[in-house]
Amino acid sequence: MPLIAINFKAYPQSMGELGLKLAKFCETVAEETGVTFIVCPQQTDLKFVASQVSIPVYCQHIDAVEPGSCTGHVVAEAVKASGAEGTLINHSERRLRVFDIDWLVKRCQSLDLDTIVCTNNVDVSKASAALHPTYVAVEPPELIGGDISVTTANPEVVSGTAKEIKRIAPDVKVLCGAGVKTGEDVRVAVELGTEGVLLASGVVKATNPKETLYELVKEV
Amino acid sequence: MPLIAINFKAYPQSMGELGLKLAKFCETVAEETGVTFIVCPQQTDLKFVASQVSIPVYCQHIDAVEPGSCTGHVVAEAVKASGAEGTLINHSERRLRVFDIDWLVKRCQSLDLDTIVCTNNVDVSKASAALHPTYVAVEPPELIGGDISVTTANPEVVSGTAKEIKRIAPDVKVLCGAGVKTGEDVRVAVELGTEGVLLASGVVKATNPKETLYELVKEV
Amino acid sequence: MPLIAINFKAYPQSMGELGLKLAKFCETVAEETGVTFIVCPQQTDLKFVASQVSIPVYCQHIDAVEPGSCTGHVVAEAVKASGAEGTLINHSERRLRVFDIDWLVKRCQSLDLDTIVCTNNVDVSKASAALHPTYVAVEPPELIGGDISVTTANPEVVSGTAKEIKRIAPDVKVLCGAGVKTGEDVRVAVELGTEGVLLASGVVKATNPKETLYELVKEV
Amino acid sequence: MPLIAINFKAYPQSMGELGLKLAKFCETVAEETGVTFIVCPQQTDLKFVASQVSIPVYCQHIDAVEPGSCTGHVVAEAVKASGAEGTLINHSERRLRVFDIDWLVKRCQSLDLDTIVCTNNVDVSKASAALHPTYVAVEPPELIGGDISVTTANPEVVSGTAKEIKRIAPDVKVLCGAGVKTGEDVRVAVELGTEGVLLASGVVKATNPKETLYELVKEV
């Protein structure tokens, strides 16, 4: 069964109560279909959502600092305390220093938090895999936010990345982080060697998000 | 009546459920004494806390971006949606560009969110006041986190800043952002021309935070 | 006599030997006309250019760190040692934290280096003036890099800023940092209350930069 | 013959004319001994030094932006135009995002500029090697700036890194980036599997830098 992670980003459609409602939709579809859904609420909603749903909740970003005098930062320990089970790291909209990615992956491991490191091409995917996160999510820039789907556009970026990562770090799992819109895309992403997908606007900005969730899992 | 703002920072003592408990203590003391308490929970706890206390909740930091595709950022609209009433800006542990402070202050005004811009000396206080936030909180570096109290160490930094700010921007209120430990400090801070105080470790890391809260308001 | 500062940016047309050639053009026109030209070469060319021209040379950006173990940073002391006489600070393409602008202005003053703090609107100009740089250069975003000239587009941004700055910090001089293309623009900029202009692409990317320099000073 | 790279950092001892003098010392010792010396002058001195010495000159840091409207940034093309032959990337005092390291390495390759990517441990070294720079320079934090030498302190960090890098990217050469003070250290660094060393304060802050240079190459 594939994994489907939904990044809520900072869209108006996923703020506060709307974010909770969206997470509840994912919970319902997860229960009905057996597919694993991970939700990544907005930073300020993390504990609010995590304390009200039973599916895994991930943070969208954490800062490479220790708990203490660091006003306005999100530390791994606070993510853990919120009840979340993991975090995105190095999303294309929140790029991090390689030094900090290394630090964060190790910090999260010590707290038993999963990590999804986002990358933009084969080389950066290999570099990230060398740091041993739980997942590497490949987001080829040409697929981000556009209408091009991973099933039609060159699928070699995804399958090639999956192959290279297995070679360097066989323990690291791969997600398809862009170009996923339909249930067919989810199926193909898995066929290309990934464990699942990470998507955002396709669900969050959908006219009927719940319907979109059902659509995504229909070929599973 | 002075205003007492408590910055929870990212201390282990203020994470998740502990943060809610601390906010509840502040709520109790506020109700019993009539003093205005503002709490600034950790980023990931914002809506969780704001939805469970009746006193004003502020965010510790917001990012100068609009709602949308900005994974891992905290936008002003999300702070508003969480039920919070304001935010710290430019804390000494999260310094911002002057360009962004200007943008954030205006954005918050349009959303009816209060702003506390933190500063480190008289010149930066004047510069910040020129941007018309709700409050400027002066944190002289020599008073931060130490044992020196504003009542004993040169109080001119605080009174001088208050005077200069009134001259440049009479609508901007001043807070004393460091060197406050006791009820006497709170009283003196107000006598020096401020509306109140912003403090952190003195309360959050106290063996008995509730007792400390009572101590802070005893000379009011 | 107005001051004309030329920001070389990182254009191919102003790199290395081409940058020196451009600085030499400015030197020639300055000598022939008596107008003060300031040149801001690319970071890596600073001492190379400063050691070969007699007109004032400014750096494009400096970092808010002290000399020492700070690989890859430009410290004020190195700018001084290169023979330069000042620096731009907070250019729209290199925005800085208000805390650092304050530090840098004071550091430069102690080394007798002039400072031009760039700003984007009236409020940020006032904030910057409160830090007492030598100059504030106003760059209204609507005028940057476009075809709109300060003489035709609302001149109130410039004259209003000049007036407000005089009120807050009478010692701070004002430059017009955008919308200047012609000799008429230079004249008008001075009439609006500035000491001169800061410009870039209009000269650096000109087909015939020397001719453009003569054009700029023709109404002086 | 090993390679010895000297990072001038932003020390007062290596600014402007002093930097040129130091580079000339390296040139003299290089000519007399046949050892390859690379000098990394301060950012503002790059072309000034590069145009006056015959040994390879590298920049200390470059920015991941293209030539154009990027005031105050150092672009790879400007480094090339200065006559330099390469650059440090991701020094411990100027850490970069993995995304940018990837971009910079490729940009430099296209301009025939060498790259030395600095790293802090085995994992980050492997990650960096996956991006195929010319060199990876390992700087174990426990050896930076201290009195501990790589010959006495655990040499496994260096030999282990060299081995791992050969496995992932056999084309990438390794430098020992910390803990080198004496000629014996240089010899041992090479025996541990590196191509040479990168050092800074040991030479730049020496009472007699020229003598130190001779000392470094005496066991070669």
Side-chain angles (χ1 to χ4, degrees), chain D residues 1-4 30 32-36 186 190 194-196 217 219-220:
Chain D
M1 285 296 243
L3 174 162
I4 299 181
E32 287 177 17
T33 63
V35 171
T36 301
V186 173
V190 173
T194 73
E195 304 284 318
V217 300
E219 298 204 14
V220 176

Side-chain angles (χ1 to χ4, degrees), chain A residues 7-12 15-17 42-48 51 59-61 63 66-75 77-79 81-82 88 91 93-94 205, chain B residues 7-12 15-17 42-48 51 59-61 63 66-75 77-79 81-82 88 91 93-94 205:
Chain A
N7 175 6
F8 287 17
K9 295 199 175 184
Y11 292 125
M15 268 172 202
E17 299 293 340
Q42 300 203 16
Q43 301 296 85
T44 46
D45 296 330
L46 193 72
K47 188 164 176 56
F48 177 72
S51 62
C59 200
Q60 290 183 18
H61 161 76
D63 293 297
E66 305 200 17
S69 291
C70 44
T71 299
H73 293 81
V74 174
V75 298
E77 285 74 4
V79 171
S82 77
L88 301 183
H91 188 273
E93 293 152 13
R94 203 71 156 97
K205 297 170 83 175
Chain B
N7 175 6
F8 286 16
K9 295 197 173 184
Y11 292 125
M15 266 170 203
E17 298 294 340
Q42 300 203 17
Q43 301 295 85
T44 46
D45 296 332
L46 192 72
K47 186 161 177 58
F48 177 72
S51 61
C59 200
Q60 290 182 20
H61 162 76
D63 293 297
E66 303 200 19
S69 291
C70 44
T71 299
H73 292 80
V74 174
V75 297
E77 284 74 4
V79 172
S82 78
L88 301 183
H91 188 274
E93 293 151 16
R94 203 75 155 94
K205 297 171 82 175

